[in-house]
Amino acid sequence: MKILVINCGSSSLKYQLLDMQTETLLAKGLCERIGIDGHLKHQPQNGKSVFDEDVALPTHTEAIAAVLDKLTSEQYGVVASMDEIGAVGHRVVHGGEKFASSVLINDEVMAAIAECIPLAPLHNPANITGIEACKAVMGDVPQVAVFDTAFHQTMPGKAYMYAIPYEYYTDLKVRRYGFHGTSHRYVSARAAEMMGKPIEELKLISCHMGNGSSICAIDGGKSVDTSMGFTPIAGLPMGTRCGDIDVSVLEYLCANTGKDVKTITNELNKKSGVLGVSGVSSDFRDLTKAAGEGNDRAALALDMFAYAVAKTIGAYAAAMNGVDGIIFTAGVGENDAATRAGIGKYLGWLGVQICPGCNQKRGEETFISTADSKVKVMVIPTNEELVIARDTKALTEK
Ligand code: AMP
């Protein structure tokens, strides 16, 4: 069975086509500037040419049509016809409290995803557009929704509630939801396999550190706490997001800058984090270079990040009354040995010993703790698309 995985943004659409008999990637690509002008990069994995050109993409429907055209074309294709694609799996950002697992999409599910729009006003409408575009181009091919929030629906009330008037939870659904659930789920399952133990017997802390970053406490395979909150701005300082701050800062900044809440919130999302502190970049490679050249603010931003990650790991070890394994994943987690080592330095008390030699590896599954480290530390490249494709296969084969 071949499955198309779609991650649809407001003006972009990422895709992968996977052969699920062998779980191999057949092609991947990205449509950008949808609704503006349009660009398509299509990368077949069978040796055929890469297509990387401007293409008119007035809507997401045209974008899906362009993707299918490339997937089936003589010059760039990987399948003979669209009929070979058995199902489509979509990344959907917010499933609220309605979805604790992936679902086959029908009218009722579409309505429920639409009901979650107030919780993710930028993301869920784009996800809905992607599903509708596939329906328009591919007809009745089964489609599945895989939610970023679903894995965290096992969190207990003490972890997901905010200490605010209760009716804001009951009436307006204000609570911690958490994100990156598909990634935390994938790497924790892989970690259990690497450690050779059933996940039910393990306490794991998964650190997804990319442009957006979140940490998840996973006890017996279930998410019991996570650092992102009602929205992805919460928790760690990130590439451009501020992470946890005193909420009074918002009112103070509005009063003292003359800017409105929307403007300041936008700054907290897009101009903060390691970019805001360093004034250099949101990219950890640029920060490491700048810090190495003596830029104190870049060094401070990197220190703040490692400190926040280590503090959260300490908190989650307390939340689970122990920890057997710590996982680093995503762009920074998979590649940035210095940041991993910097985090490790705080965690000796917990029984974490990083092996400096093993820690030099990047982008591959590996243990980076010493043989006698009480807590195992692993680098595990994440693969959200594979999880989406597996869920899609399982739900559509039924
Ligand atoms: P992601 O959101 O998972 O795609 O991660 C993107 C981020 O990973 C980039 O902004 C960089 O900060 C970081 N990154 C990627 N490659 C490296 C690398 N080789 N060294 C350090 N950081 C990296």
Side-chain angles (χ1 to χ4, degrees):
M1 183 184 208
K2 287 168 188 129
I3 289 178
L4 182 62
V5 174
I6 301 281
N7 181 353
C8 198
S10 56
S11 67
S12 70
L13 186 153
K14 270 194 228 162
Y15 64 94
Q16 288 195 1
L17 185 68
L18 291 105
D19 184 339
M20 291 310 287
Q21 217 153 12
T22 48
E23 294 198 335
T24 44
L25 180 66
L26 300 173
K28 63 177 179 177
L30 171 65
C31 298
E32 288 179 294
R33 300 178 60 82
I34 301 168
I36 305 163
D37 37 32
H39 188 91
L40 169 59
K41 182 168 186 182
H42 169 77
Q43 299 169 273
Q45 306 292 301
N46 58 358
K48 286 192 181 171
S49 325
V50 169
F51 178 91
D52 189 3
E53 287 177 29
D54 291 342
V55 194
L57 301 174
T59 69
H60 287 76
T61 304
E62 273 95 352
I64 291 282
V67 167
L68 287 165
D69 179 58
K70 289 291 164 286
L71 286 170
T72 55
S73 87
E74 186 79 28
Q75 200 178 350
Y76 308 100
V78 291
V79 287
S81 86
M82 202 165 82
D83 301 340
E84 286 185 45
I85 301 172
V88 184
H90 293 266
R91 175 184 179 213
V92 178
V93 167
H94 220 303
E97 289 189 333
K98 282 185 193 298
F99 298 105
S101 58
S102 306
V103 282
L104 194 60
I105 297 171
N106 56 25
D107 291 347
E108 208 182 314
V109 168
M110 286 298 271
I113 297 173
E115 263 181 55
C116 294
I117 288 175
L119 300 173
L122 297 179
H123 293 101
N124 273 30
N127 301 148
I128 290 171
T129 306
I131 296 165
E132 283 170 346
C134 285
K135 191 163 186 198
V137 180
M138 301 175 77
D140 286 334
V141 172
Q143 302 197 63
V144 165
V146 179
F147 300 91
D148 258 24
T149 49
F151 183 62
H152 302 299
Q153 279 297 300
T154 48
M155 283 191 291
K158 64 185 175 187
Y160 72 69
M161 285 299 292
Y162 291 129
I164 57 176
Y166 196 77
E167 54 272 23
Y168 290 141
Y169 167 60
T170 48
D171 299 353
L172 292 170
K173 304 185 173 90
V174 177
R175 52 159 283 179
R176 180 189 306 281
Y177 290 99
F179 300 87
H180 291 145
T182 312
S183 174
H184 292 302
R185 189 175 132 209
Y186 173 78
V187 296
S188 56
R190 283 298 305 145
E193 283 168 20
M194 284 172 73
M195 293 170 79
K197 290 206 175 137
I199 197 163
E200 293 75 18
E201 292 173 16
L202 289 171
K203 297 174 194 291
L204 299 168
I205 298 176
S206 159
C207 307
H208 180 112
M209 311 190 304
N211 199 25
S213 297
S214 73
I215 305 193
C216 182
I218 302 155
D219 196 348
K222 292 189 163 64
S223 169
V224 293
D225 208 343
T226 193
S227 59
M228 282 179 168
F230 179 64
T231 72
I233 201 175
L236 306 168
M238 311 182 203
T240 64
R241 297 186 194 125
C242 62
D244 287 345
I245 57 165
D246 182 333
V247 290
S248 306
V249 169
L250 188 57
E251 188 190 6
Y252 178 84
L253 288 178
C254 290
N256 287 281
T257 61
K259 295 176 187 172
D260 59 13
V261 173
K262 214 171 171 178
T263 306
I264 298 289
T265 303
N266 191 46
E267 289 182 2
L268 296 176
N269 269 300
K270 303 239 169 88
K271 296 185 175 172
S272 300
V274 294
L275 168 69
V277 173
S278 68
V280 172
S281 170
S282 62
D283 192 306
F284 278 55
R285 288 163 288 200
D286 300 335
L287 295 175
T288 306
K289 184 166 176 281
E293 291 164 359
N295 185 316
D296 289 341
R297 277 171 55 187
L300 174 64
L302 289 169
D303 276 352
M304 286 171 67
F305 181 78
Y307 178 67
V309 172
K311 272 206 305 188
T312 311
I313 290 173
Y316 289 174
M320 295 190 288
N321 196 16
V323 54
D324 301 303
I326 296 171
I327 306 150
F328 291 121
T329 193
V332 178
E334 291 165 27
N335 295 296
D336 191 340
T339 295
R340 293 192 302 243
I343 295 164
K345 276 193 194 139
Y346 290 101
L347 300 173
W349 64 275
L350 198 56
V352 170
Q353 299 287 339
I354 302 281
C355 157
C358 317
N359 188 35
Q360 290 316 308
K361 290 194 187 155
R362 62 162 53 161
E364 60 178 288
E365 278 188 1
T366 183
F367 285 96
I368 60 163
S369 46
T370 59
D372 58 354
S373 179
K374 194 168 137 263
V375 177
K376 302 294 167 218
V377 186
M378 292 150 276
V379 170
I380 304 180
T382 195
N383 196 341
E384 292 160 281
E385 290 80 7
L386 182 58
V387 178
I388 295 172
R390 281 179 180 164
D391 281 6
T392 303
K393 179 171 182 260
L395 283 163
T396 52
E397 269 180 352
K398 270 185 192 166

